[in-house]
Amino acid sequence: MTDQHKYEELAVADLAFDGKAVAYRDGKVIFLDGGLPGERVLAEVVRSRKRYDFATVKEVLQRSSMRIDAPCSHIAECGGCAWQDLSYPQQLIYKRKQVVDCLERIGGLESVKVADAIGSLELFHYRNKMEFSFHASPDGEFTLGLHRRGKFDEIFDLNACWLATDTCNRIVAWVRQFVREEQIPVYDVFTHVGYVRFLVIRESKRTGQVMVNLVTNYGEIPQREKLASGLKAAFPQITTMVHNQNGQKSNIAVGEIEQVVFGTGYIEERLFESTFRIRAGSFFQTNTLQTETLYHTALDMLEPGISDRMLDLYCGTGSIGILASRYVRDVLGVELVADAVKSARENADINHVKNARFIEGDVKDVLALHEREGARFDLVVVDPPRAGMHPTALKRTIQLAPQKLAYVSCNPATFARDAAEIVKAGYRLPEVRPVDMFPHTKHIELIGVFYRS
Ligand SMILES: C[S@@+](CC[C@H](N)C(=O)[O-])C[C@H]1O[C@@H](n2cnc3c(N)ncnc32)[C@H](O)[C@@H]1O
């Protein structure tokens, strides 16, 4: 059977922040790729450090009652779902625990009440955006799919992702076949030679509109018309296709040059009674139904007043500000990405919102300008990317001295870091509410409202 020197039996004690399981051997921490608390597993140490080891679970010897059978066939290899085999109520418990741990350990904020995590309305097929990578293999073949767990440079051929819709999975299979038949060269991340790089699919949950975005190296798409007409014929739901060219070495699915192949170049999604236009380069929350829960929770905690002036920082396509606009005097949104600002302005127009303005710029620079002009805001909402707020942006936000500051975060660690600064500046943080936007992954979104003391 196994090599007795490499394999060992371990008792899983906990789940760590990044989705890994934790076991101990003679006081040393072992991070496990697999295994659930309470289980006994047979594991192989793959990397050893002075204070901790990394190991892969080869077999579950004693199964936890929290374990369920994951429906996805890619569960063992995919980097997306760390917890698909953990029952959903337990996922929520561990996600809440991550928030508590971060607040205590990173922020030193022991007294903040952390509510139970609000579960997602849909557990599968909830994503409205999926990003797939092409990967050239040395044998001349290629794969189109998602990242292998822990590997930035390995892509497995996707059969079906359970977080994506059936339409999305079928488009992936169709495009893979097209690229193979037409012998379109696949980009190689090591040599930087080749053409097709990413396939990004966005699908509105409420209108059913679908956008296909092909991200390639520089140059026109070979067989562009054949690809466009083939896609339209096979998938009438595809209302628009865009082509983004990215010749940069950095492996990101963002284009320097965008062309609309057919359709409008955007899709429309609905949240509550409002419509939102989303373009290829703009951020939009990826779980549509749960976005309503997130925004509803944020506004419920913020309790906006009709005479309040609101600042919506990191506003994306303007969704939070537009939804809040009916409850406040006016809204100013700030966003770095030009595409998103364009969509935010359009979104205000198509929803007949007259009291919201959106400006393009880096939050820290825009706030410097406001500081000079002595602008006043009663409410500030911040919703930064995973890295949290730039220290200067955070300092300038605090200097605005709003009555209430709502922080929407997709990363409890950076939230805790920033929260400590806000509290140090004299704000109170009574409560944090985690909202699960990403079932089966290790990620958790949260909202905290700070009150000026
Ligand atoms: C997590 S998203 C939130 C978007 C929006 N609030 C929503 O709920 O859809 C973060 C947004 O911040 C923008 N962003 C990132 N860095 C920024 C900066 N330094 N200044 C302004 N916006 C920034 C991103 O482009 C993205 O749209």
Side-chain angles (χ1 to χ4, degrees):
M1 79 127 200
T2 58
D3 175 350
Q4 294 299 328
H5 299 290
K6 276 167 61 189
Y7 288 20
E8 61 185 308
E9 210 178 301
L10 293 168
V12 181
D14 203 356
L15 287 175
F17 184 62
D18 60 357
K20 288 200 184 327
V22 180
Y24 300 95
R25 184 204 319 113
D26 305 326
K28 189 176 187 182
V29 178
I30 303 158
F31 291 109
L32 294 157
D33 202 357
L36 296 175
E39 290 188 334
R40 290 200 72 76
V41 296
L42 193 64
E44 179 186 20
V45 173
V46 287
R47 240 176 325 142
S48 200
R49 296 280 180 275
K50 199 168 163 202
R51 292 175 51 210
Y52 48 85
D53 289 346
F54 289 98
T56 305
V57 171
K58 293 292 163 187
E59 194 183 335
V60 176
L61 302 172
Q62 194 184 318
R63 203 177 144 108
S64 157
S65 59
M66 300 176 199
R67 183 175 285 280
I68 54 167
D69 292 326
C72 180
S73 61
H74 298 295
I75 186 75
E77 59 188 338
C78 184
C81 289
W83 288 349
Q84 217 185 85
D85 48 15
L86 176 63
S87 75
Y88 192 57
Q90 289 295 335
Q91 287 183 28
L92 293 177
I93 289 170
Y94 279 101
K95 288 186 183 206
R96 176 183 176 276
K97 185 171 170 289
Q98 282 184 11
V99 176
V100 173
D101 286 354
C102 286
L103 284 172
E104 289 180 7
R105 288 188 203 167
I106 301 171
L109 299 165
E110 283 87 6
S111 58
V112 178
K113 177 186 166 202
V114 179
D116 287 343
I118 304 174
S120 177
L121 295 167
E122 290 178 302
L123 297 191
F124 291 106
H125 316 297
Y126 60 80
R127 286 193 66 102
N128 58 30
K129 180 187 179 196
M130 290 291 299
E131 211 172 282
F132 304 99
S133 307
F134 286 93
H135 183 77
S137 348
D139 60 3
E141 266 303 310
F142 74 93
T143 51
L144 171 59
L146 298 167
H147 283 266
R148 226 176 260 290
R149 189 169 293 178
K151 307 277 181 187
F152 77 95
D153 56 352
E154 284 184 31
I155 303 294
F156 67 85
D157 234 356
L158 185 87
N159 178 22
C161 169
W162 275 72
L163 305 192
T165 64
D166 177 53
T167 303
C168 178
N169 286 322
R170 286 190 297 113
I171 294 173
V172 173
W174 193 97
V175 172
R176 182 190 291 117
Q177 184 69 12
F178 184 88
V179 167
R180 184 162 289 138
E181 279 172 10
E182 299 300 325
Q183 298 184 353
I184 299 173
V186 167
Y187 185 82
D188 185 316
V189 285
F190 298 109
T191 61
H192 305 290
V193 175
Y195 185 66
V196 276
R197 301 186 69 168
F198 302 96
L199 173 68
V200 186
I201 299 169
R202 289 188 113 141
E203 186 174 358
S204 162
K205 286 276 172 178
R206 293 272 165 68
T207 67
Q209 296 172 4
V210 176
M211 172 195 286
V212 169
N213 174 16
L214 191 67
V215 184
T216 72
N217 205 341
Y218 295 133
E220 289 302 317
I221 305 174
Q223 305 290 358
R224 176 183 143 129
E225 289 319 311
K226 191 174 175 188
L227 172 63
S229 56
L231 272 174
K232 272 197 272 193
F235 303 96
Q237 322 70 321
I238 302 178
T239 46
T240 191
M241 178 177 174
V242 294
H243 173 210
N244 272 277
Q245 295 178 46
N246 178 4
Q248 303 294 317
K249 289 184 177 164
S250 58
N251 209 23
I252 48 168
V254 176
E256 302 158 82
I257 312 163
E258 179 171 301
Q259 285 166 302
V260 176
V261 179
F262 64 82
T264 54
Y266 58 79
I267 56 165
E268 290 187 338
E269 181 60 292
R270 290 186 68 78
L271 295 176
F272 303 105
E273 300 91 48
S274 302
T275 302
F276 293 92
R277 279 187 189 165
I278 311 164
R279 292 168 197 284
S282 331
F283 178 90
F284 195 81
Q285 301 285 349
T286 51
N287 179 341
T288 301
L289 269 53
Q290 194 67 347
T291 301
E292 290 187 340
T293 310
L294 179 75
Y295 292 167
H296 182 270
T297 308
L299 292 179
D300 185 44
M301 291 173 78
L302 191 59
E303 295 181 313
I306 206 67
S307 59
D308 286 341
R309 312 200 78 151
M310 177 173 153
L311 183 62
D312 181 11
L313 299 177
Y314 310 89
C315 70
T317 49
S319 39
I320 296 180
I322 287 172
L323 293 173
S325 63
R326 70 182 62 181
Y327 308 112
V328 296
R329 178 168 152 194
D330 52 32
V331 177
L332 177 67
V334 181
E335 165 62 43
L336 190 64
V337 173
D339 242 15
V341 177
K342 185 175 169 188
S343 298
R345 289 178 183 147
E346 276 177 350
N347 290 335
D349 276 351
I350 59 178
N351 292 295
H352 313 292
V353 169
K354 304 269 182 258
N355 61 341
R357 281 191 306 128
F358 297 94
I359 48 177
E360 184 187 328
D362 189 314
V363 164
K364 65 180 185 337
D365 304 332
V366 174
L367 290 184
L369 203 72
H370 278 84
E371 213 171 86
R372 281 200 292 278
E373 290 171 357
R376 309 281 319 156
F377 295 95
D378 306 288
L379 311 175
V380 175
V381 176
V382 302
D383 185 4
R386 285 188 63 73
M389 292 181 77
H390 185 283
T392 310
L394 181 60
K395 193 177 103 206
R396 291 185 175 148
T397 304
I398 293 169
Q399 275 165 359
L400 282 175
Q403 215 72 52
K404 294 180 225 167
L405 167 58
Y407 195 130
V408 181
S409 165
C410 55
N411 184 344
T414 53
F415 171 80
R417 178 200 68 199
D418 294 348
E421 293 303 313
I422 302 169
V423 168
K424 219 185 287 169
Y427 279 80
R428 282 182 305 111
L429 175 63
E431 187 190 10
V432 162
R433 292 191 200 165
V435 179
D436 189 21
M437 306 287 288
F438 322 101
H440 314 298
T441 74
K442 61 193 177 189
H443 299 291
I444 180 75
E445 191 92 12
L446 64 85
I447 305 153
V449 175
F450 298 84
Y451 299 82
R452 207 173 70 200
S453 298

